[in-house]
Amino acid sequence: MDSSEQRIKIAVQKTGRLTDHSLDLLERCGLKFTKSKDQLFCYGENMPVDLLLVRDDDIPGLVGDDVCDLGIVGLNIVEEKRQELQHEGRDAMFKQVFELDFGHCRLSLAAPVGTPYEGLESLNNQKIATSYVGILRNYLKKNDVTAEIEYFSGAVEIAPKLGKAQFICDLVSTGSTLDANGLAELEVLLESEAIVIQTLAPLGDDKQALVDRILQRLDGVLQVRESKYIMLHAPRSALAEISELLPGSEVPTVIPLDDINDKVAIHAVCRENVFWETLENLKAAGASSLLVLPVEKMLA
Ligand code: ATP
Ligand code: ZN
């Protein structure tokens, strides 16, 4: 078999809000890429894993059509693709495997400040401008609203000013774009963040093993973000109470320190952030010499 068939392709946004985070994440998974001149294709230097740098809108299609095995893209784009496919009576050929906790935004309904609005029924017989026709259509249908959807490929927020629509349905993160255009947010249709999607096409054993390996590393990277390594000293008698207080930890490692006072050192990985309050509670329970360290890598 041609060795190129055993390589994995990951689709990532070429330039945009998700690009830096996505590349950083893959780098943390230990992947190194050679950038080609056209920057569309990046060859994996140290593992048989290559990158395809594309428009975010193309990522669900590329993964669904099995051109790429994995993709990093906003849930908003994935959900839109899913709704469009469903509308055409087709199933999506990709599945969601991880939420990545970046690229947070929401798909919201908005209108110029002062527009009469008393809930979704106010949308009846109105025009709504959006790039998210699939999601909006489904939302209106679910809520028994009949409105006209105007497709806008970009700059949706200016549609009311142009007299093209009374309402818009667009992505919002801080709300500053809405403010700048004199728009008020009325409803949230979808909360979104960047996710990893995987093709549903069967990969064969070798490729599947490689995909699993990448996903396991990704999982490790995501867990490490919040995780802390905590070390402290305590009397053995306080062990049970201290174990209870350690946030999101499994059984801690206990090392005897001095037999006379029966003191022990306790080490634990906490899979949640450790706040000052927790340290104060641990101290009150008898802990001393508390130390909290970041975790560099983790493999469950
Ligand atoms: P492309 O050229 O790849 O099509 P784009 O203009 O569609 O780029 P970006 O603006 O870079 O895309 O946004 C990419 C993704 O970032 C969005 O699909 C969404 O998931 C996320 N995102 C986070 N905050 C925002 C925001 N305030 N506005 C738009 N997208 C946001
Ligand atoms: Zn896009």
Side-chain angles (χ1 to χ4, degrees):
M1 193 184 279
D2 177 359
S3 65
S4 71
E5 283 174 34
Q6 298 306 323
R7 299 186 70 85
I8 284 181
K9 279 198 231 41
I10 307 180
V12 169
Q13 192 186 22
K14 187 176 194 300
T15 28
R17 294 174 206 256
L18 303 181
T19 309
D20 288 349
H21 274 110
S22 305
L23 296 177
D24 179 60
L25 194 63
L26 296 172
E27 202 175 291
R28 280 168 197 261
C29 288
L31 299 170
K32 289 196 173 66
F33 302 97
T34 318
K35 282 208 169 169
S36 63
K37 278 206 192 89
D38 65 8
Q39 296 239 318
L40 179 69
F41 184 84
C42 299
Y43 184 79
E45 286 177 3
N46 59 342
M47 280 178 81
V49 179
D50 305 321
L51 285 188
L52 216 58
L53 298 176
V54 293
R55 286 199 58 196
D56 63 348
D57 314 66
D58 296 334
I59 293 175
L62 287 167
V63 176
D65 293 343
D66 197 25
V67 176
C68 293
D69 308 286
L70 296 171
I72 299 179
V73 62
L75 174 64
N76 50 306
I77 300 278
V78 173
E79 197 49 40
E80 176 62 17
K81 183 77 178 179
R82 228 182 248 149
Q83 298 295 347
E84 283 293 346
L85 288 170
Q86 205 174 58
H87 190 66
E88 294 165 14
R90 294 195 286 153
D91 285 331
M93 288 303 287
F94 50 78
K95 63 176 178 187
Q96 175 174 341
V97 281
F98 280 120
E99 291 176 347
L100 295 173
D101 201 22
F102 65 83
H104 287 278
C105 58
R106 52 196 187 274
L107 184 66
S108 289
L109 186 80
V113 176
T115 302
Y117 185 76
E118 277 148 20
L120 292 172
E121 61 274 14
S122 300
L123 298 173
N124 271 313
N125 307 315
Q126 303 285 345
K127 276 189 186 167
I128 312 173
T130 192
S131 318
Y132 292 85
V133 174
I135 297 177
L136 179 59
R137 186 199 294 122
N138 196 36
Y139 181 81
L140 295 177
K141 195 172 149 202
K142 260 199 214 148
N143 288 287
D144 264 331
V145 175
T146 314
E148 200 177 319
I149 300 175
E150 285 280 324
Y151 175 74
F152 262 61
S153 61
V156 178
E157 65 279 3
I158 59 167
K161 271 194 208 122
L162 299 176
K164 295 279 186 195
Q166 294 90 346
F167 293 86
I168 67 157
C169 171
D170 201 13
L171 293 180
V172 181
S173 50
T174 60
S176 57
T177 308
L178 291 184
D179 287 347
N181 287 283
L183 298 164
E185 193 172 352
L186 304 170
E187 307 282 348
V188 177
L189 282 71
L190 177 80
E191 296 277 358
S192 180
E193 67 188 280
I195 61 171
V196 178
I197 53 171
Q198 183 185 342
T199 178
L200 285 179
L203 295 175
D205 291 349
D206 290 354
K207 269 179 108 176
Q208 187 61 54
L210 199 51
V211 164
D212 290 345
R213 215 166 131 206
I214 303 292
L215 293 179
Q216 192 175 46
R217 287 190 187 188
L218 265 175
D219 188 42
V221 170
L222 297 178
Q223 290 202 32
V224 154
R225 255 195 232 163
E226 286 275 284
S227 297
K228 294 282 180 277
Y229 193 77
I230 183 162
M231 306 198 284
L232 54 89
H233 292 175
R236 190 180 286 275
S237 58
L239 187 56
E241 193 183 345
I242 284 177
S243 300
E244 282 285 303
L245 288 170
L246 292 170
S249 76
E250 284 158 18
V251 183
T253 306
V254 180
I255 308 153
L257 280 181
D258 96 53
D259 288 340
I260 304 153
N261 297 313
D262 209 13
K263 252 192 159 182
V264 291
I266 300 174
H267 291 195
V269 173
C270 296
R271 288 171 194 256
E272 291 167 32
N273 216 338
V274 180
F275 296 104
W276 281 110
E277 203 177 58
T278 310
L279 294 184
E280 286 157 6
N281 292 339
L282 286 166
K283 197 165 157 56
S288 58
S289 307
L290 289 135
L291 204 56
V292 181
L293 304 169
V295 175
E296 165 84 16
K297 285 193 178 64
M298 197 187 270
L299 197 61

